[in-house]
PDB file of all heavy atoms in Angstrom:
ATOM      1  N   THR A 367      70.093-110.452 -21.075  1.00  0.00           N
ATOM      2  CA  THR A 367      70.162-111.423 -19.817  1.00  0.00           C
ATOM      3  C   THR A 367      68.756-111.781 -19.330  1.00  0.00           C
ATOM      4  O   THR A 367      67.698-111.183 -19.853  1.00  0.00           O
ATOM      5  CB  THR A 367      70.862-110.686 -18.651  1.00  0.00           C
ATOM      6  OG1 THR A 367      70.221-109.439 -18.364  1.00  0.00           O
ATOM      7  CG2 THR A 367      72.294-110.568 -18.942  1.00  0.00           C
ATOM      8  N   THR A 368      68.623-112.708 -18.481  1.00  0.00           N
ATOM      9  CA  THR A 368      67.315-113.269 -17.967  1.00  0.00           C
ATOM     10  C   THR A 368      67.225-112.975 -16.472  1.00  0.00           C
ATOM     11  O   THR A 368      66.641-113.963 -15.771  1.00  0.00           O
ATOM     12  CB  THR A 368      67.113-114.628 -18.412  1.00  0.00           C
ATOM     13  OG1 THR A 368      68.207-115.442 -17.899  1.00  0.00           O
ATOM     14  CG2 THR A 368      67.016-114.856 -19.832  1.00  0.00           C
ATOM     15  N   TYR A 369      67.771-111.935 -15.934  1.00  0.00           N
ATOM     16  CA  TYR A 369      67.747-111.759 -14.463  1.00  0.00           C
ATOM     17  C   TYR A 369      66.342-111.325 -13.956  1.00  0.00           C
ATOM     18  O   TYR A 369      65.629-110.773 -14.866  1.00  0.00           O
ATOM     19  CB  TYR A 369      68.829-110.740 -14.075  1.00  0.00           C
ATOM     20  CG  TYR A 369      70.251-111.110 -14.382  1.00  0.00           C
ATOM     21  CD1 TYR A 369      71.079-110.164 -14.909  1.00  0.00           C
ATOM     22  CD2 TYR A 369      70.698-112.400 -14.094  1.00  0.00           C
ATOM     23  CE1 TYR A 369      72.387-110.542 -15.233  1.00  0.00           C
ATOM     24  CE2 TYR A 369      72.071-112.741 -14.232  1.00  0.00           C
ATOM     25  CZ  TYR A 369      72.868-111.777 -14.870  1.00  0.00           C
ATOM     26  OH  TYR A 369      74.118-112.160 -15.199  1.00  0.00           O
ATOM     27  N   THR A 370      66.176-111.466 -12.730  1.00  0.00           N
ATOM     28  CA  THR A 370      65.024-110.984 -12.070  1.00  0.00           C
ATOM     29  C   THR A 370      65.473-109.936 -11.113  1.00  0.00           C
ATOM     30  O   THR A 370      66.555-110.134 -10.508  1.00  0.00           O
ATOM     31  CB  THR A 370      64.216-112.070 -11.323  1.00  0.00           C
ATOM     32  OG1 THR A 370      64.997-112.769 -10.444  1.00  0.00           O
ATOM     33  CG2 THR A 370      63.481-113.095 -12.407  1.00  0.00           C
ATOM     34  N   ALA A 371      64.614-108.970 -10.783  1.00  0.00           N
ATOM     35  CA  ALA A 371      65.006-107.903  -9.881  1.00  0.00           C
ATOM     36  C   ALA A 371      65.197-108.389  -8.473  1.00  0.00           C
ATOM     37  O   ALA A 371      64.593-109.274  -8.033  1.00  0.00           O
ATOM     38  CB  ALA A 371      63.956-106.831  -9.870  1.00  0.00           C
ATOM     39  N   LEU A 372      66.301-107.767  -7.888  1.00  0.00           N
ATOM     40  CA  LEU A 372      66.688-108.207  -6.492  1.00  0.00           C
ATOM     41  C   LEU A 372      65.668-107.411  -5.497  1.00  0.00           C
ATOM     42  O   LEU A 372      65.500-106.112  -5.713  1.00  0.00           O
ATOM     43  CB  LEU A 372      68.139-107.866  -6.132  1.00  0.00           C
ATOM     44  CG  LEU A 372      69.172-108.681  -6.962  1.00  0.00           C
ATOM     45  CD1 LEU A 372      70.507-108.109  -6.690  1.00  0.00           C
ATOM     46  CD2 LEU A 372      68.991-110.067  -6.833  1.00  0.00           C
ATOM     47  N   LEU A 373      65.165-108.048  -4.580  1.00  0.00           N
ATOM     48  CA  LEU A 373      64.103-107.405  -3.677  1.00  0.00           C
ATOM     49  C   LEU A 373      64.612-107.277  -2.196  1.00  0.00           C
ATOM     50  O   LEU A 373      63.848-106.684  -1.349  1.00  0.00           O
ATOM     51  CB  LEU A 373      62.747-108.201  -3.714  1.00  0.00           C
ATOM     52  CG  LEU A 373      62.053-108.245  -5.184  1.00  0.00           C
ATOM     53  CD1 LEU A 373      60.902-109.033  -5.115  1.00  0.00           C
ATOM     54  CD2 LEU A 373      61.857-106.857  -5.751  1.00  0.00           C
ATOM     55  N   SER A 374      65.551-107.929  -1.817  1.00  0.00           N
ATOM     56  CA  SER A 374      66.029-107.964  -0.394  1.00  0.00           C
ATOM     57  C   SER A 374      66.479-106.522  -0.002  1.00  0.00           C
ATOM     58  O   SER A 374      67.119-105.817  -0.773  1.00  0.00           O
ATOM     59  CB  SER A 374      67.144-108.935  -0.173  1.00  0.00           C
ATOM     60  OG  SER A 374      68.371-108.525  -0.802  1.00  0.00           O
ATOM     61  N   PRO A 375      66.250-106.140   1.121  1.00  0.00           N
ATOM     62  CA  PRO A 375      66.663-104.762   1.649  1.00  0.00           C
ATOM     63  C   PRO A 375      68.175-104.517   1.580  1.00  0.00           C
ATOM     64  O   PRO A 375      68.694-103.460   1.214  1.00  0.00           O
ATOM     65  CB  PRO A 375      66.120-104.675   3.132  1.00  0.00           C
ATOM     66  CG  PRO A 375      65.053-105.763   3.131  1.00  0.00           C
ATOM     67  CD  PRO A 375      65.425-106.710   2.237  1.00  0.00           C
ATOM     68  N   ALA A 376      68.948-105.669   1.803  1.00  0.00           N
ATOM     69  CA  ALA A 376      70.524-105.543   1.796  1.00  0.00           C
ATOM     70  C   ALA A 376      70.813-105.151   0.317  1.00  0.00           C
ATOM     71  O   ALA A 376      71.664-104.314   0.011  1.00  0.00           O
ATOM     72  CB  ALA A 376      71.008-106.791   2.130  1.00  0.00           C
ATOM     73  N   ASP A 377      70.323-105.877  -0.752  1.00  0.00           N
ATOM     74  CA  ASP A 377      70.697-105.578  -2.086  1.00  0.00           C
ATOM     75  C   ASP A 377      70.276-104.239  -2.519  1.00  0.00           C
ATOM     76  O   ASP A 377      70.867-103.562  -3.212  1.00  0.00           O
ATOM     77  CB  ASP A 377      70.006-106.704  -3.007  1.00  0.00           C
ATOM     78  CG  ASP A 377      70.775-108.073  -2.845  1.00  0.00           C
ATOM     79  OD1 ASP A 377      71.918-108.070  -2.727  1.00  0.00           O
ATOM     80  OD2 ASP A 377      70.024-109.139  -2.884  1.00  0.00           O
ATOM     81  N   LEU A 378      68.946-103.837  -2.195  1.00  0.00           N
ATOM     82  CA  LEU A 378      68.527-102.497  -2.558  1.00  0.00           C
ATOM     83  C   LEU A 378      69.329-101.450  -1.793  1.00  0.00           C
ATOM     84  O   LEU A 378      69.563-100.416  -2.342  1.00  0.00           O
ATOM     85  CB  LEU A 378      67.048-102.310  -2.193  1.00  0.00           C
ATOM     86  CG  LEU A 378      66.096-103.300  -2.949  1.00  0.00           C
ATOM     87  CD1 LEU A 378      64.729-102.990  -2.435  1.00  0.00           C
ATOM     88  CD2 LEU A 378      66.187-102.984  -4.472  1.00  0.00           C
ATOM     89  N   SER A 379      69.765-101.697  -0.519  1.00  0.00           N
ATOM     90  CA  SER A 379      70.659-100.753   0.093  1.00  0.00           C
ATOM     91  C   SER A 379      71.947-100.572  -0.591  1.00  0.00           C
ATOM     92  O   SER A 379      72.443 -99.427  -0.750  1.00  0.00           O
ATOM     93  CB  SER A 379      70.809-101.107   1.587  1.00  0.00           C
ATOM     94  OG  SER A 379      71.746-100.245   2.209  1.00  0.00           O
ATOM     95  N   GLU A 380      72.464-101.611  -1.035  1.00  0.00           N
ATOM     96  CA  GLU A 380      73.847-101.606  -1.685  1.00  0.00           C
ATOM     97  C   GLU A 380      73.600-100.937  -3.103  1.00  0.00           C
ATOM     98  O   GLU A 380      74.456-100.255  -3.506  1.00  0.00           O
ATOM     99  CB  GLU A 380      74.338-103.026  -1.914  1.00  0.00           C
ATOM    100  CG  GLU A 380      75.696-103.136  -2.587  1.00  0.00           C
ATOM    101  CD  GLU A 380      76.816-102.428  -1.766  1.00  0.00           C
ATOM    102  OE1 GLU A 380      76.649-102.384  -0.538  1.00  0.00           O
ATOM    103  OE2 GLU A 380      77.825-102.055  -2.418  1.00  0.00           O
ATOM    104  N   GLY A 381      72.447-101.126  -3.671  1.00  0.00           N
ATOM    105  CA  GLY A 381      72.291-100.578  -5.015  1.00  0.00           C
ATOM    106  C   GLY A 381      72.124 -99.034  -4.832  1.00  0.00           C
ATOM    107  O   GLY A 381      72.550 -98.291  -5.692  1.00  0.00           O
ATOM    108  N   LYS A 382      71.424 -98.625  -3.812  1.00  0.00           N
ATOM    109  CA  LYS A 382      71.256 -97.154  -3.446  1.00  0.00           C
ATOM    110  C   LYS A 382      72.728 -96.563  -3.211  1.00  0.00           C
ATOM    111  O   LYS A 382      72.992 -95.470  -3.741  1.00  0.00           O
ATOM    112  CB  LYS A 382      70.463 -96.957  -2.258  1.00  0.00           C
ATOM    113  CG  LYS A 382      70.129 -95.528  -1.883  1.00  0.00           C
ATOM    114  CD  LYS A 382      69.337 -95.383  -0.796  1.00  0.00           C
ATOM    115  CE  LYS A 382      69.129 -93.878  -0.512  1.00  0.00           C
ATOM    116  NZ  LYS A 382      68.233 -93.585   0.757  1.00  0.00           N
ATOM    117  N   THR A 383      73.666 -97.209  -2.553  1.00  0.00           N
ATOM    118  CA  THR A 383      74.933 -96.648  -2.266  1.00  0.00           C
ATOM    119  C   THR A 383      75.735 -96.550  -3.679  1.00  0.00           C
ATOM    120  O   THR A 383      76.356 -95.557  -3.848  1.00  0.00           O
ATOM    121  CB  THR A 383      75.765 -97.606  -1.340  1.00  0.00           C
ATOM    122  OG1 THR A 383      74.930 -97.749  -0.207  1.00  0.00           O
ATOM    123  CG2 THR A 383      77.056 -97.103  -1.120  1.00  0.00           C
ATOM    124  N   ILE A 384      75.567 -97.578  -4.392  1.00  0.00           N
ATOM    125  CA  ILE A 384      76.240 -97.512  -5.749  1.00  0.00           C
ATOM    126  C   ILE A 384      75.665 -96.433  -6.650  1.00  0.00           C
ATOM    127  O   ILE A 384      76.315 -95.644  -7.288  1.00  0.00           O
ATOM    128  CB  ILE A 384      76.080 -98.879  -6.492  1.00  0.00           C
ATOM    129  CG1 ILE A 384      76.843 -99.947  -5.695  1.00  0.00           C
ATOM    130  CG2 ILE A 384      76.658 -98.795  -7.928  1.00  0.00           C
ATOM    131  CD1 ILE A 384      76.495-101.478  -6.191  1.00  0.00           C
ATOM    132  N   TYR A 385      74.285 -96.220  -6.744  1.00  0.00           N
ATOM    133  CA  TYR A 385      73.609 -95.285  -7.456  1.00  0.00           C
ATOM    134  C   TYR A 385      74.114 -93.862  -6.923  1.00  0.00           C
ATOM    135  O   TYR A 385      74.464 -92.963  -7.705  1.00  0.00           O
ATOM    136  CB  TYR A 385      72.191 -95.345  -7.228  1.00  0.00           C
ATOM    137  CG  TYR A 385      71.347 -94.293  -7.940  1.00  0.00           C
ATOM    138  CD1 TYR A 385      70.975 -94.427  -9.282  1.00  0.00           C
ATOM    139  CD2 TYR A 385      71.069 -93.130  -7.310  1.00  0.00           C
ATOM    140  CE1 TYR A 385      70.329 -93.264  -9.851  1.00  0.00           C
ATOM    141  CE2 TYR A 385      70.438 -92.058  -7.920  1.00  0.00           C
ATOM    142  CZ  TYR A 385      70.052 -92.205  -9.198  1.00  0.00           C
ATOM    143  OH  TYR A 385      69.316 -91.140  -9.936  1.00  0.00           O
ATOM    144  N   THR A 386      74.105 -93.573  -5.605  1.00  0.00           N
ATOM    145  CA  THR A 386      74.483 -92.364  -5.082  1.00  0.00           C
ATOM    146  C   THR A 386      75.868 -91.882  -5.471  1.00  0.00           C
ATOM    147  O   THR A 386      76.167 -90.768  -5.869  1.00  0.00           O
ATOM    148  CB  THR A 386      74.304 -92.254  -3.605  1.00  0.00           C
ATOM    149  OG1 THR A 386      73.001 -92.569  -3.219  1.00  0.00           O
ATOM    150  CG2 THR A 386      74.610 -90.908  -3.041  1.00  0.00           C
ATOM    151  N   THR A 387      76.771 -93.020  -5.571  1.00  0.00           N
ATOM    152  CA  THR A 387      78.131 -92.663  -5.809  1.00  0.00           C
ATOM    153  C   THR A 387      78.426 -92.430  -7.369  1.00  0.00           C
ATOM    154  O   THR A 387      79.152 -91.590  -7.749  1.00  0.00           O
ATOM    155  CB  THR A 387      79.111 -93.799  -5.332  1.00  0.00           C
ATOM    156  OG1 THR A 387      78.863 -94.077  -3.902  1.00  0.00           O
ATOM    157  CG2 THR A 387      80.432 -93.571  -5.651  1.00  0.00           C
ATOM    158  N   ASN A 388      77.753 -93.228  -8.187  1.00  0.00           N
ATOM    159  CA  ASN A 388      78.125 -93.176  -9.638  1.00  0.00           C
ATOM    160  C   ASN A 388      77.062 -92.570 -10.544  1.00  0.00           C
ATOM    161  O   ASN A 388      77.422 -92.111 -11.567  1.00  0.00           O
ATOM    162  CB  ASN A 388      78.289 -94.554  -9.991  1.00  0.00           C
ATOM    163  CG  ASN A 388      79.404 -95.289  -9.292  1.00  0.00           C
ATOM    164  OD1 ASN A 388      80.604 -94.900  -9.413  1.00  0.00           O
ATOM    165  ND2 ASN A 388      79.136 -96.176  -8.398  1.00  0.00           N
ATOM    166  N   CYS A 389      75.718 -92.624 -10.132  1.00  0.00           N
ATOM    167  CA  CYS A 389      74.751 -92.255 -11.049  1.00  0.00           C
ATOM    168  C   CYS A 389      74.027 -90.940 -10.799  1.00  0.00           C
ATOM    169  O   CYS A 389      73.503 -90.261 -11.680  1.00  0.00           O
ATOM    170  CB  CYS A 389      73.569 -93.305 -11.028  1.00  0.00           C
ATOM    171  SG  CYS A 389      74.213 -95.114 -11.389  1.00  0.00           S
ATOM    172  N   ALA A 390      74.022 -90.602  -9.418  1.00  0.00           N
ATOM    173  CA  ALA A 390      73.306 -89.374  -9.075  1.00  0.00           C
ATOM    174  C   ALA A 390      73.830 -88.124  -9.792  1.00  0.00           C
ATOM    175  O   ALA A 390      72.995 -87.251 -10.026  1.00  0.00           O
ATOM    176  CB  ALA A 390      73.457 -89.194  -7.516  1.00  0.00           C
ATOM    177  N   PRO A 391      75.181 -87.967 -10.008  1.00  0.00           N
ATOM    178  CA  PRO A 391      75.543 -86.673 -10.760  1.00  0.00           C
ATOM    179  C   PRO A 391      74.739 -86.455 -11.984  1.00  0.00           C
ATOM    180  O   PRO A 391      74.661 -85.287 -12.411  1.00  0.00           O
ATOM    181  CB  PRO A 391      76.981 -86.946 -10.984  1.00  0.00           C
ATOM    182  CG  PRO A 391      77.434 -87.804  -9.837  1.00  0.00           C
ATOM    183  CD  PRO A 391      76.342 -88.814  -9.663  1.00  0.00           C
TER     184      PRO A 391
END
Side-chain angles (χ1 to χ4, degrees):
T367 55
T368 56
Y369 297 133
T370 56
L372 302 175
L373 302 177
S374 68
D377 286 322
L378 294 179
S379 177
E380 183 63 25
K382 180 178 180 180
T383 302
I384 297 170
Y385 176 89
T386 303
T387 304
N388 300 290
C389 310

